[in-house]
Amino acid sequence: MKLPAVAFGERPLKITKPYLAGTDVRRLQQALKELGFYDERVDGIYGKITDKAFKRFKKYLGEERDERVFEILKIYQDYGIGSWKTVRGDFSNAGHIPFIIPDKLNSLFYKNIKDIKAITAYKNRIFVTCENILICMDAKTGRVLWYNNEINPRYPVTATSDCLIVPDEGITVIEPYRGKVLEKIKLEHPAFGSPVYFKGKIIFADEKGKISAVIQKRGIVWEFNPGGIFTTPPAAYEDNLFFASYDRNVYCLDMMGGVLWEAKISDYINEPLFLQDTRVFALGDGRLFAFDRFSGENLWFKVLPEKDFSSCCLGRGKVYILSKKGNLYILNKDDGDFSGVMTLPIEPAGLLFGNDEKLLIGSKGGLFVYKISENGVTLKEKYLEGHEIRAVAFTGRCLFVATKEGLFVLS
């Protein structure tokens, strides 16, 4: 049956006689199915089962307004429901969670998997990177779908719609649904950090400070050598790449390897750049630099009270920077002014993620959820107390948390 074309969110959805039908209903059903609220056939007809699923999702969000729920679902779908492409969520490295974090999370299941280094996900498949094995699991049930113990990931795996990208001695490309190795790409120098993936191109920094792009079965298609002995793993935002080199420059390239701008910087940058909207941020030796994403203009820099930091994230117009001592510094994104500082009650584990409403902080003694308000941040919930948090991934409904003991799944 050909469905009427109706823009998503254009009309209220409710039970009528005859039932409403359209492409907007089909899109709603598909989103609810990916989130685990709807298990029936995606037919584009708004019947009683679809209505119940929609109401369950609104209750889960704590939101009654249909127009707001449609806005949230559009954000979810644009980002990718069930996706967590990198250890930082996506290629921007911003640690920004686009999904609503519920006020209360409950335990779904536990998997006894030791030595977890990272978690990534695509389309409700979870990819767990361990010391000498890569495990693929069903995100809803925890069932192991396949594993590969013949690879040795040196850095976390990148998960995409086309393939899994494993940085080992070279780059191993794996088919994500069956675990078949598609290609082993040999490199002159090993990759440094997790690669970016853009329209068939695998883009990475190597251990000698060079940025390269490879395509399966074709090999290297372009290289860029800034001249420094070290380059941060590239971040990507929209159609551009961003990284810093030990030649003391921050660079922006297009996806063909062409330089769009370069900006001189006084510090050596060791950590990947992180981005959001029109800003590029570089964390140096006790200083935070902000650049205009389009021109490379250095907008501001801020001297920080400490020099050793473990993680950062962006949200609600703020930059959150977590020190290894457990101090959370909050700066305004636009001008770098300090707006607050908070000390964690327990030693952090280097994990910080958030959105405009909440922060997730992994520690040596549990996972802490903080609520963000105009007055600062306040502790909301504690989960997995007594456990050392090693990695997290949030796929829209489920929060996957790796600890020293194993993998916990909360929802």
Side-chain angles (χ1 to χ4, degrees), residues 225-263:
N225 192 342
I229 61 171
F230 172 85
T231 299
T232 62
Y237 199 88
E238 295 184 352
D239 295 344
N240 300 135
L241 297 167
F242 303 86
F243 58 91
S245 170
Y246 262 30
D247 68 348
R248 293 192 181 184
N249 276 304
V250 171
Y251 289 91
C252 173
L253 306 185
D254 62 28
M255 292 299 178
M256 300 299 292
V259 178
L260 298 177
W261 55 259
E262 60 182 88

Side-chain angles (χ1 to χ4, degrees), residues 285-305:
D285 185 20
R287 294 197 289 185
L288 180 66
F289 298 82
F291 299 88
D292 182 271
R293 180 166 67 89
F294 301 102
S295 68
E297 177 189 358
N298 187 188
L299 301 172
W300 54 261
F301 76 87
K302 196 73 175 179
V303 177
L304 302 171

Side-chain angles (χ1 to χ4, degrees), residues 46-207:
Y46 195 86
K48 292 180 179 179
I49 296 176
T50 302
D51 186 59
K52 288 180 180 178
F54 190 35
K55 288 177 179 176
R56 281 199 302 272
F57 180 61
K58 290 196 290 186
K59 183 178 179 180
Y60 167 82
L61 293 178
E63 179 61 68
E64 289 297 324
R65 296 173 298 158
D66 284 5
E67 61 273 17
R68 175 57 183 152
V69 177
F70 290 138
E71 288 174 8
I72 291 170
L73 282 174
K74 286 176 183 177
I75 294 170
Y76 278 31
Q77 290 179 317
D78 288 344
Y79 185 86
I81 297 171
S83 296
W84 192 261
K85 300 182 183 75
T86 75
V87 289
R88 298 292 294 156
D90 61 22
F91 300 126
S92 73
N93 289 327
H96 182 75
I97 297 175
F99 309 119
I100 300 295
I101 303 171
D103 286 337
K104 189 68 178 177
L105 294 165
N106 299 304
S107 178
L108 286 185
F109 60 84
Y110 164 80
K111 299 294 287 188
N112 184 20
I113 304 173
K114 305 297 184 185
D115 300 318
I116 297 176
K117 295 168 65 177
I119 314 168
T120 50
Y122 184 75
K123 287 293 183 184
N124 290 314
R125 288 179 177 239
I126 297 298
F127 306 102
V128 181
T129 305
C130 301
E131 190 65 37
N132 293 300
I133 190 171
L134 176 63
I135 303 169
C136 173
M137 299 189 311
D138 184 294
K140 295 179 181 179
T141 65
R143 182 170 65 92
V144 174
L145 302 175
W146 57 261
Y147 66 88
N148 187 321
N149 59 2
E150 296 179 356
I151 58 174
N152 183 22
R154 301 177 76 242
Y155 298 99
V157 170
T158 299
T160 78
S161 57
D162 300 325
C163 59
L164 301 179
I165 305 166
V166 184
D168 43 27
E169 290 306 314
I171 288 179
T172 299
V173 183
I174 295 177
E175 194 279 326
Y177 298 100
R178 298 183 301 275
K180 178 184 176 182
V181 174
L182 300 175
E183 185 178 3
K184 286 183 173 287
I185 302 171
K186 294 183 178 180
L187 303 175
E188 181 182 1
H189 304 292
F192 175 68
S194 300
V196 163
Y197 186 77
F198 180 82
K199 294 182 179 179
K201 291 189 180 79
I202 300 169
I203 307 168
F204 60 94
D206 69 22
E207 290 186 342

Side-chain angles (χ1 to χ4, degrees), residues 210-222:
K210 184 169 58 180
I211 301 290
S212 302
V214 299
I215 294 178
Q216 290 182 60
K217 309 302 182 185
R218 286 177 55 187
I220 293 176
V221 292
W222 60 258

